[in-house]
Amino acid sequence: MAAFPPRPTGSEADVFRRRRRGRNIAIVLVLAGLAVLFYAVTIVKLVLP
Amino acid sequence: MSDLSSDMADTDRGEKSSLSSHVDGTEDDVRDWIALLKPRVMSLVVFTGLIGVVVAPGHLHPILAFTAVLCIAVAAGACGAINMWYDRDIDAVMKRTRNRPIPAGRISPGGALGFGIVLAVGSVIVMEVTINAMAAAVLALSIGFYVFIYTMWLKRRTPQNIVIGGAAGAFPPVIGWVAVTGSVDLIPLILFAIVFIWTPPHFWSLALWANDDYRRAGVPMLPVVAGAKETRKQIVLYSLLLVPVTLVPWYLGFSGAIYGVAAAVLGLGFLVCVARVFTDKQDAAGVSLTNDAPARAAFKYSILYLFVLFAALAVDRLIG
């Protein structure tokens, strides 16, 4: 008989959702920053002799 | 790559960990992943790397300069994450590191290692693609030196760990310089030497008062192995060597009077600080009777010293 972890309570589930949301926002910001950076570097490389 | 006093960097994140540590897979939040990068240490690395870019002859477009410094910062963060992965056992027994994300159970060891490797590889690739191959090679060398030579080999084996390992933290100005010029020259090697010789008195000042932690963890820091008295002597000797080396850029004509005067005055202040460490009230074994107040002051001053010294070099180059 497999032992399942206890179901999170309401407040624990809230903490879980808040942290997951924080991680997701951070990843989006990092990816967007990288996209902007690579775009800018590409333009600079194209323009510079 | 990272400043070696990084071990003291992040002790303020532990209090919240019990909040939901039993919620499977949700212990970490963004701040824990940032803590893995040792952001306080990163600031010194970024600064010295930036100075390397600023004082190097030639011109690098500001966006490329930003990218180069970002790569140095990310690589330093990667070193911090891999260091925390490798040292998780000793971090768990040291008072000031036991609340780090891995020993506190908020981030898994594998997750931290993967994070560090991705950032390390990513920073080197981006440096190669956007800046130049030489800068990427030196960056890779610095990461390898910090991870393999310092963290995995020296740190637990010899009291000279931070002397040799100090080279890892001395690479950033060289990388910054090479990012601009594409080659290694005498001046970046002098900047390397300044950080390299500065590291032992800086770190041993910390080790004097963090002695108990290192002893408990079995890390053979100089105060643990040779005692506080010998450590005080070594701090003075390295400081006496450091001050003349900081004057070399002025002596060679690379910098002018602004830097020369700043290096002399700052060096004098440094020598006064370490003289106080040496003459601190102590017992027969050299253990401080003043709660290591002079050593704490010397540690703080050493950080300010390097910041102002390098800033003076940049100002001198920009004005002169």
Side-chain angles (χ1 to χ4, degrees):
Chain A
M1 195 67 178
F4 291 99
R7 186 180 289 272
T9 64
S11 63
E12 287 172 340
D14 283 345
V15 170
F16 168 76
R17 276 192 289 271
R18 200 167 56 240
R19 290 192 178 153
R20 186 173 59 184
R21 187 162 179 273
R23 286 196 298 269
N24 290 345
I25 290 171
I27 290 168
V28 165
L29 291 176
V30 168
L31 290 176
L34 279 176
V36 170
L37 180 69
F38 289 147
Y39 176 77
V41 168
T42 305
I43 297 298
V44 168
K45 292 257 181 190
L46 285 173
V47 171
L48 284 180
Chain B
M1 185 72 211
S2 293
D3 171 21
L4 302 176
S5 59
S6 59
D7 292 351
M8 66 155 316
D10 42 1
T11 57
D12 53 357
R13 284 279 300 118
E15 290 73 16
K16 56 134 280 228
S17 65
S18 62
L19 180 64
S20 65
S21 59
H22 56 290
V23 181
D24 187 33
T26 68
E27 297 89 339
D28 62 303
D29 69 13
V30 174
R31 286 176 298 173
D32 288 319
W33 293 98
I34 293 172
L36 277 182
L37 305 177
K38 300 186 177 179
R40 276 182 256 184
V41 174
M42 208 189 268
S43 62
L44 195 63
V45 170
V46 166
F47 181 72
T48 55
L50 178 65
I51 296 300
V53 172
V54 170
V55 302
H59 174 73
L60 192 62
H61 190 283
I63 290 176
L64 296 180
F66 171 79
T67 308
V69 174
L70 182 68
C71 287
I72 295 172
V74 171
C79 289
I82 296 171
N83 175 271
M84 281 202 207
W85 162 75
Y86 190 79
D87 281 346
R88 61 192 184 280
D89 55 338
I90 56 176
D91 280 353
V93 296
M94 289 170 62
K95 196 160 58 181
R96 60 192 171 71
T97 55
R98 65 186 173 207
N99 285 325
R100 284 177 171 176
I102 301 175
R106 298 191 300 275
I107 288 180
S108 71
L113 176 62
F115 186 53
I117 290 174
V118 167
L119 293 184
V121 173
S123 64
V124 173
I125 289 174
V126 172
M127 185 71 102
E128 202 282 329
V129 171
T130 61
I131 308 299
N132 61 56
M134 188 63 152
V138 181
L139 186 67
L141 178 67
S142 70
I143 295 169
F145 196 94
Y146 185 80
V147 170
F148 297 110
I149 305 291
Y150 170 68
T151 301
M152 295 185 179
W153 182 32
L154 295 172
K155 185 173 177 180
R156 302 184 191 213
R157 283 180 175 79
T158 167
Q160 297 300 310
N161 48 14
I162 58 105
V163 177
I164 306 165
F171 274 108
V174 182
I175 299 166
W177 179 288
V178 174
V180 178
T181 65
S183 62
V184 180
D185 202 349
L186 177 63
I187 296 300
L189 293 180
I190 293 168
L191 300 181
F192 178 95
I194 290 172
V195 182
F196 181 71
I197 300 168
W198 164 88
T199 302
H202 160 72
F203 193 82
W204 284 332
S205 297
L206 162 74
L208 274 176
W209 88 77
N211 195 11
D212 290 342
D213 253 0
Y214 286 116
R215 181 176 287 115
R216 200 179 307 124
V219 180
M221 294 303 297
L222 191 64
V224 175
V225 175
K229 192 168 265 182
E230 176 63 21
T231 305
R232 294 176 199 281
K233 197 172 92 182
Q234 293 292 328
I235 287 173
V236 172
L237 290 176
Y238 273 95
S239 302
L240 286 171
L241 182 63
L242 172 65
V243 176
V245 172
T246 61
L247 293 170
V248 172
W250 168 76
Y251 182 76
L252 292 178
F254 176 73
S255 65
I258 295 174
Y259 173 78
V261 170
V265 172
L266 288 165
L268 199 61
F270 200 87
L271 291 177
V272 168
C273 278
V274 299
R276 285 182 182 148
V277 174
F278 188 71
T279 57
D280 188 16
K281 282 183 186 170
Q282 51 200 281
D283 63 16
V287 177
S288 175
L289 301 174
T290 63
N291 197 25
D292 276 312
R296 291 170 197 267
F299 177 74
K300 283 180 190 165
Y301 181 82
S302 68
I303 296 171
L304 181 72
Y305 172 83
L306 199 66
F307 265 110
V308 178
L309 185 75
F310 273 57
L313 183 64
V315 168
D316 190 297
R317 290 286 294 172
L318 291 173
I319 293 176

